[in-house]
Amino acid sequence: MNHFYKCSKSTWYRLYLCFKKQVGTFLLLLLLCCISKSTHAQAPLLQKRISISTGKVTLQEALKGLEKSAGCSFAFSNNILKDKPSVHLAYTNTPLLTILRDLLAVDQEQLLVEGHTIHIRARSARTKPLTKPSRLVQHADSTKLAGNFELETVVVTGQYKPQSVNKSVYHVEVIDKRTIENMSVTNVGELLKQQINIDIENQSGTGRSKIRVLGLNSQYTKILMDNIPIAGDENMGSDVDLSTISLDDVERVEIVKGAMGVEYGANAIAGVINIITKRRAGKKTDLSVDIQEETVGKEYNLKFNDAAKGRHIQRLNASHNLNDKLSIGGALSRDDFRGFWGQYDGAGVFKQELTWTNPYKNRGYDWSPKVSYNGNAYISYNTPKLSLLYKANYFQSNLTRHERWIEGFHLKDENMEVNLSINNYYRNLRHNHHFSARGEVWKNGYFSIDGSFQRNGLQHKRRGINVFDNSEIAPANGLPEHTGLQPNDWMEHFQSKGFYSRGTFLKPVLANKLDVNVGYEVDETTANQGYTFTFNDVALMDPQVHTLTNGGAWASAEWQVTPRILLRPGFRANFSSGQNVRTNESLTTRYKLDAENDFRLILGTSTRFPNFQEMYMSYVDAIHEYRGNPDLRPEYGQTAELQWGHKREVRSGVYLQTSVSTMFQNIKDRIVNIVYPSEREGVMTGLNTYTNENRYYGLANQVDAKLVSEKFHFSLAGSIVGYRGNDNASENQYSKFLFNSQANAQATYIFPYGIRAALFYRFVGKQPQYVFLPVNEPGAPGEKVTEFYKILAQTDPYHNMDVNVAKSFFNRKLEIRTGIRNLFSVTDISYVMVNPPAHIVDRTLNAIRLFYGRTYFFKMTYRI
């Protein structure tokens, strides 16, 4: 049972214990560093000495020349190039900072170095320039507006090197740091709820959150953190519980939809979501403390016992630049969700005497209480040619699901009657270690190497509870016979641990014309499906432990065919234990029509390898037969996307960005559950297994528009997604495409006196799908049913809106934010059959848990 910890004396486990025991020492050292004598931290890249000489050139050509000479890239708004005179560069052995001051009239505080990228930011309205341009040009506009609205965010997902999102060959959607702060949410699952064509499926009984992208479930989207796949239930990167990923030190989230198999390997058919974390303090020392109080629906108090209600969040972030190269940091947080009582009575004591024939059935919660702890720490080293990072993260959540009923029960060991109920405890543990190295090598080459060791798992324990005082009953007393349950110690569900490594090497072949990139990826994951196959909460099979080795090697090239046309072809070979080598191909084209318009044509493929349950499920006894299928083929997905992007300054200081895209998806060899007649006599279930027989078609059309100025940030998006097929049905069972429409809007506005208001709105239209019910029940287990009712089922549409306001005090050290979530008080939606046959009385299918009603929050942040 304890395979997950059978290597408890290993080096990794000892390192983990050491880290866990020395948290106090680490925090003390961090505090000492934060209060140590301050020295000004200067980015080494800005001190790099450059020799450059040009004739009369445009400002854009001058910056390109500096990029080549300094081995860096600049992120800035196109407005910086508008209406600027030609310049002439003549510098010998001069620091890059001095040249930029002369060229752009900027101060060092406006230049933020991130790896090999220099962000040129706006000067605060109250700050006067420290220096006057000595040689060449007048003042230039900036990359970031005074309101902290990003115009040219640097992205890394799908890129050879970090670069501006507008220069990316892919269509990358970015949730930046300011948006994360404005939403005031604590984990990735909550953050993505407002994103178009992304749906979060909440499991309120176990506190887990899974993702759907473009209608495809969580096994088709790869979740990354700093380009490294996060360990999921059974694979690296897919089927990840998003509630376990804290936003404590997240800088931004990058989303690319569509097959990304060449760049990111298996299980990236619907796309990738890349969570980018902090690597360096923004100034000498960053220290912040957050306290957030939130109602759960209308429920809230400050009690600490079983009567407690509401949600209580505390967070500490600290980072410090020890010198111009070395930085350390970390974060700690606690999220105490006291459950949503709803129509139930919570988990308090119950004194009224009961018998087993007259139980009480209103105990517990509508959404189970859960407390989560997250901690991370990093150390980074940065020079102009080398960047190193080590990061460690630990997460634990504890959830209690309280059974509804209470009944009288006789304790054998104490010979007394008590009021008895049952508690199910769920403990989620995750920790990972990540090492990263990247930099320049061999004649303008660029390399990156990442390695990660991760563990992830859910554990479950069941105990009888004496509700007279909420004490646990000794397991030897058992539980009422009619429940069919027994007390159990911690049992493991969805356990995975593994090592992952990824490396790339980029080499310019023809300067500014052709770059070639090669890479490898490998992960070895030991997974255990655990006691997850149950009936009425009783485990039906023993854990199945297997190790899979997956990986791949790829090559791609970026060819600047003309100043307007960029091509990136790519090829990848994937391998997996027990599978034949599978290939992925891609071709991305970017056509720059002019300075304001570009087109992208993206053709991509990806593979989804069978997961552990699909291959290794096993439960066989006299009447049951459930078996995995190790001979399954990988699923194969293809996408084609056409996207138009437009950006311009509509008037002085107001910028417009728009995009229109259409995408087609094709997935073949989809893996589905199937029942065959069993060859064994007496088997009542038939042979339950998996096979490759389904296909899926998808369409996605999306429009985005963003309007940004110093005072406001408005964005709108709308989409129509169509599909033929679902998780259980193939495209040939659909007579036509079914369509779902969605829209969202986000707005931030800065009022006088520094009052900031934020609004997040989302509309989700009817979500249709077909269900198939047999006309006649099969005569024998596993007998094939040949005739079905095909019935349309759909959900009601719903709207969701969050609003909040914030104000800073004491020179922006203290920020107060208060707001309302789920203004329209949405709770659950359900699939309901439309015009089913008359004999079908129950027309409601599975419910989808969205929210627990309107909530209110108050957040206070203090920064040093």
Side-chain angles (χ1 to χ4, degrees):
M1 183 178 83
N2 291 320
H3 87 282
F4 186 68
Y5 294 108
K6 66 183 180 182
C7 297
S8 60
K9 298 185 183 298
S10 68
T11 303
W12 285 110
Y13 188 72
R14 288 182 179 132
L15 286 173
Y16 157 67
L17 287 178
C18 180
F19 174 78
K20 186 175 181 181
K21 293 177 180 178
Q22 300 301 322
V23 169
T25 303
F26 172 77
L27 291 176
L28 180 60
L29 290 173
L30 185 60
L31 182 61
L32 289 173
C33 291
C34 290
I35 62 177
S36 63
K37 183 177 179 180
S38 176
T39 59
H40 185 67
Q42 191 124 357
L45 182 57
L46 294 174
Q47 300 306 314
K48 189 172 184 178
R49 294 186 173 271
I50 306 298
S51 295
I52 185 171
S53 178
T54 70
K56 192 174 182 180
V57 295
T58 65
L59 184 57
Q60 182 176 13
E61 291 171 334
L63 290 173
K64 284 185 176 180
L66 282 175
E67 286 181 333
K68 183 177 179 181
S69 299
C72 67
S73 61
F74 297 111
F76 54 85
S77 168
N78 283 338
N79 192 56
I80 197 174
L81 307 176
K82 191 175 180 181
D83 300 326
K84 297 299 185 296
S86 299
V87 297
H88 177 269
L89 300 182
Y91 292 94
T92 302
N93 199 28
T94 304
L96 179 59
L97 176 61
T98 300
I99 301 175
L100 291 175
R101 280 174 171 169
D102 290 344
L103 193 63
L104 304 175
V106 294
D107 303 319
Q108 184 173 352
E109 64 183 19
Q110 295 173 248
L111 304 175
L112 174 64
V113 179
E114 187 177 78
H116 294 269
T117 302
I118 299 175
H119 304 256
I120 306 172
R121 303 185 296 180
R123 176 180 292 108
S124 173
R126 64 178 179 270
T127 304
K128 296 182 179 180
L130 300 177
T131 60
K132 186 176 181 179
S134 60
R135 301 185 188 184
L136 301 174
V137 297
Q138 297 83 24
H139 281 277
D141 295 315
S142 60
T143 300
K144 186 183 283 190
L145 300 172
N148 286 325
F149 302 131
E150 294 283 356
L151 288 176
E152 296 275 348
T153 304
V154 170
V155 295
V156 298
T157 307
Q159 315 304 313
Y160 286 170
K161 295 170 66 174
Q163 65 176 346
S164 163
V165 65
N166 287 320
K167 297 178 183 178
S168 167
V169 294
Y170 290 102
H171 180 206
V172 184
E173 301 174 24
V174 180
I175 309 173
D176 60 23
K177 181 69 172 178
R178 175 59 63 181
T179 302
I180 295 172
E181 291 176 351
N182 285 338
M183 291 186 70
S184 295
V185 291
T186 61
N187 63 61
V188 172
E190 294 173 333
L191 178 70
L192 295 177
K193 281 182 179 179
Q194 294 288 1
Q195 296 304 302
I196 199 163
N197 292 329
I198 293 179
D199 297 291
I200 303 299
E201 299 178 337
N202 296 303
Q203 302 169 9
S204 59
T206 57
R208 295 160 69 78
S209 298
K210 297 296 183 71
I211 193 170
R212 277 188 178 271
V213 176
L214 299 172
L216 296 170
N217 66 45
S218 59
Q219 298 193 74
Y220 294 87
T221 301
K222 203 151 195 175
I223 309 296
L224 314 171
M225 181 171 285
D226 296 320
N227 264 350
I228 294 293
I230 298 173
D233 286 348
E234 302 176 82
N235 296 301
M236 280 286 186
S238 64
D239 211 18
V240 174
D241 176 8
L242 299 180
S243 71
T244 67
I245 307 174
S246 172
L247 294 172
D248 287 354
D249 65 339
V250 173
E251 290 292 305
R252 65 186 183 276
V253 177
E254 301 175 3
I255 303 168
V256 180
K257 295 167 185 170
M260 295 285 287
V262 170
E263 286 80 5
Y264 293 104
N267 308 321
I269 292 177
V272 298
I273 295 176
N274 198 2
I275 302 156
I276 309 301
T277 64
K278 190 172 185 175
R279 289 173 173 248
R280 188 173 176 85
K283 50 187 179 180
K284 180 66 177 177
T285 300
D286 290 338
L287 181 65
S288 67
V289 178
D290 294 350
I291 297 175
Q292 184 168 328
E293 294 295 309
E294 190 167 329
T295 69
V296 178
K298 297 180 180 179
E299 302 169 3
Y300 179 82
N301 62 37
L302 290 174
K303 297 180 180 179
F304 294 96
N305 52 24
D306 291 327
K309 296 181 178 181
R311 188 176 182 185
H312 316 279
I313 303 165
Q314 305 87 38
R315 182 186 294 117
L316 169 67
N317 274 282
S319 56
H320 181 69
N321 295 329
L322 297 172
N323 53 43
D324 59 351
K325 298 178 182 179
L326 195 61
S327 180
I328 61 172
L332 295 170
S333 67
R334 175 179 178 268
D335 183 353
D336 186 8
F337 173 70
R338 302 302 299 185
F340 176 51
W341 294 42
Q343 60 182 316
Y344 300 103
D345 295 338
V349 298
F350 191 87
K351 298 290 188 180
Q352 179 182 343
E353 292 188 8
L354 298 170
T355 66
W356 71 270
T357 58
N358 181 32
Y360 179 80
K361 298 182 178 180
N362 217 43
R363 179 177 182 260
Y365 301 82
D366 198 359
W367 291 59
S368 298
K370 174 182 176 181
V371 59
S372 304
Y373 304 91
N374 185 75
N376 60 68
Y378 76 85
I379 180 170
S380 66
Y381 174 84
N382 293 278
T383 70
K385 292 192 175 183
L386 179 65
S387 175
L388 303 176
L389 171 74
Y390 169 75
K391 192 161 200 170
N393 174 260
Y394 176 82
F395 175 88
Q396 177 177 326
S397 67
N398 300 297
L399 178 144
T400 305
R401 193 182 79 220
H402 303 78
E403 293 298 335
R404 303 273 185 250
W405 51 265
I406 305 173
E407 65 179 57
F409 183 69
H410 183 78
L411 294 183
K412 303 172 186 176
D413 56 353
E414 300 181 36
N415 193 27
M416 61 179 292
E417 296 290 328
V418 299
N419 283 345
L420 176 134
S421 190
I422 293 176
N423 282 358
N424 288 280
Y425 303 100
Y426 294 91
R427 181 170 64 193
N428 214 132
L429 297 171
R430 173 195 299 281
H431 66 88
N432 63 67
H433 305 266
H434 177 199
F435 173 78
S436 171
R438 56 202 66 217
E440 297 179 6
V441 64
W442 188 51
K443 298 181 180 179
N444 296 321
Y446 181 80
F447 78 94
S448 67
I449 298 177
D450 292 275
S452 175
F453 176 81
Q454 303 184 47
R455 282 183 170 176
N456 171 61
L458 177 69
Q459 299 174 325
H460 168 237
K461 181 174 75 171
R462 182 188 303 112
R463 282 289 185 269
I465 301 296
N466 177 2
V467 191
F468 280 141
D469 57 7
N470 269 342
S471 60
E472 287 190 1
I473 295 173
N477 286 289
L479 295 173
E481 185 176 347
H482 69 87
T483 66
L485 302 176
Q486 291 295 326
N488 63 272
D489 291 321
W490 289 110
M491 299 170 67
E492 296 173 342
H493 297 231
F494 300 120
Q495 302 292 309
S496 63
K497 62 175 180 178
F499 173 78
Y500 174 90
S501 179
R502 170 189 172 97
T504 65
F505 176 68
L506 171 65
K507 184 71 174 71
V509 177
L510 298 174
N512 300 319
K513 281 287 187 180
L514 180 64
D515 293 340
V516 175
N517 185 57
V518 295
Y520 77 89
E521 179 184 52
V522 61
D523 80 74
E524 185 176 77
T525 303
T526 298
N528 173 7
Q529 187 65 19
Y531 296 93
T532 54
F533 196 70
T534 62
F535 179 75
N536 286 343
D537 214 21
V538 177
L540 295 182
M541 71 176 187
D542 292 330
Q544 301 292 312
V545 182
H546 295 273
T547 298
L548 289 181
T549 301
N550 301 310
W554 70 90
S556 63
E558 279 194 2
W559 178 25
Q560 191 74 53
V561 183
T562 72
R564 292 186 175 186
I565 300 175
L566 175 68
L567 295 179
R568 186 201 276 190
F571 176 84
R572 180 187 184 107
N574 296 294
F575 64 85
S576 180
S577 302
Q579 299 282 344
N580 294 327
V581 174
R582 300 284 172 157
T583 61
N584 292 136
E585 306 79 23
S586 67
L587 176 62
T588 303
T589 305
R590 181 170 178 259
Y591 177 72
K592 192 172 184 63
L593 186 64
D594 53 39
E596 296 180 346
N597 299 277
D598 56 33
F599 291 90
R600 293 177 175 88
L601 175 62
I602 304 167
L603 307 176
T605 63
S606 186
T607 303
R608 183 179 87 80
F609 286 117
N611 63 36
F612 282 83
Q613 177 171 324
E614 292 163 344
M615 289 193 293
Y616 302 121
M617 175 181 70
S618 178
Y619 175 62
V620 179
D621 64 10
I623 61 174
H624 299 89
E625 188 169 5
Y626 295 85
R627 299 181 187 274
N629 182 0
D631 297 323
L632 289 169
R633 300 185 303 276
E635 297 182 15
Y636 186 73
Q638 301 165 305
T639 62
E641 180 182 12
L642 180 63
Q643 188 256 348
W644 165 69
H646 172 80
K647 59 184 183 299
R648 65 189 174 96
E649 186 178 21
V650 293
R651 67 181 188 184
S652 179
V654 180
Y655 303 87
L656 173 68
Q657 293 182 335
T658 59
S659 70
V660 179
S661 64
T662 183
M663 179 189 297
F664 175 75
Q665 297 174 297
N666 172 30
I667 306 175
K668 61 183 181 181
D669 289 335
R670 288 197 81 182
I671 299 169
V672 292
N673 182 256
I674 194 168
V675 182
Y676 295 111
S678 175
E679 297 179 356
R680 298 167 53 239
E681 292 185 5
V683 174
M684 299 178 62
T685 61
L687 170 58
N688 287 258
T689 187
Y690 294 89
T691 187
N692 296 94
E693 68 173 35
N694 279 8
R695 197 179 186 109
Y696 176 89
Y697 292 152
L699 290 171
N701 303 286
Q702 183 170 326
V703 180
D704 301 88
K706 182 188 298 182
L707 194 64
V708 181
S709 80
E710 290 187 350
K711 286 192 174 182
F712 60 77
H713 180 164
F714 299 143
S715 66
L716 295 170
S719 75
I720 298 176
V721 174
Y723 40 87
R724 290 184 62 174
N726 57 41
D727 287 349
N728 301 308
S730 184
E731 61 84 19
N732 57 11
Q733 296 174 275
Y734 277 51
S735 57
K736 60 181 179 180
F737 276 90
L738 299 180
F739 291 93
N740 165 246
S741 59
Q742 296 190 16
N744 74 355
Q746 299 182 10
T748 305
Y749 192 87
I750 302 177
F751 290 94
Y753 306 105
I755 298 174
R756 303 185 303 280
L759 177 148
F760 302 90
Y761 167 80
R762 188 181 185 200
F763 165 77
V764 178
K766 295 179 179 180
Q767 302 175 64
Q769 68 174 23
Y770 285 118
V771 294
F772 299 88
L773 302 178
V775 174
N776 298 302
E777 292 297 326
E783 180 180 317
K784 190 171 183 179
V785 179
T786 58
E787 191 174 359
F788 291 88
Y789 294 114
K790 183 169 74 171
I791 306 169
L792 178 67
Q794 61 188 20
T795 65
D796 288 331
Y798 70 90
H799 305 260
N800 180 53
M801 182 183 291
D802 299 347
V803 294
N804 65 72
V805 294
K807 177 75 170 74
S808 295
F809 304 90
F810 308 119
N811 197 25
R812 308 190 77 174
K813 289 185 177 181
L814 176 65
E815 179 180 275
I816 302 296
R817 185 182 296 273
T818 184
I820 306 172
R821 302 194 203 281
N822 190 14
L823 187 64
F824 303 120
S825 200
V826 178
T827 53
D828 302 341
I829 59 173
S830 298
Y831 279 96
V832 178
M833 288 184 276
V834 179
N835 298 322
H839 68 277
I840 298 179
V841 178
D842 188 1
R843 302 184 176 195
T844 301
L845 303 176
N846 55 302
I848 301 174
R849 310 228 72 179
L850 298 175
F851 310 99
Y852 36 76
R854 184 185 302 117
T855 65
Y856 305 85
F857 75 89
F858 173 86
K859 180 180 179 181
M860 182 173 63
T861 302
Y862 187 77
R863 299 183 179 93
I864 298 178

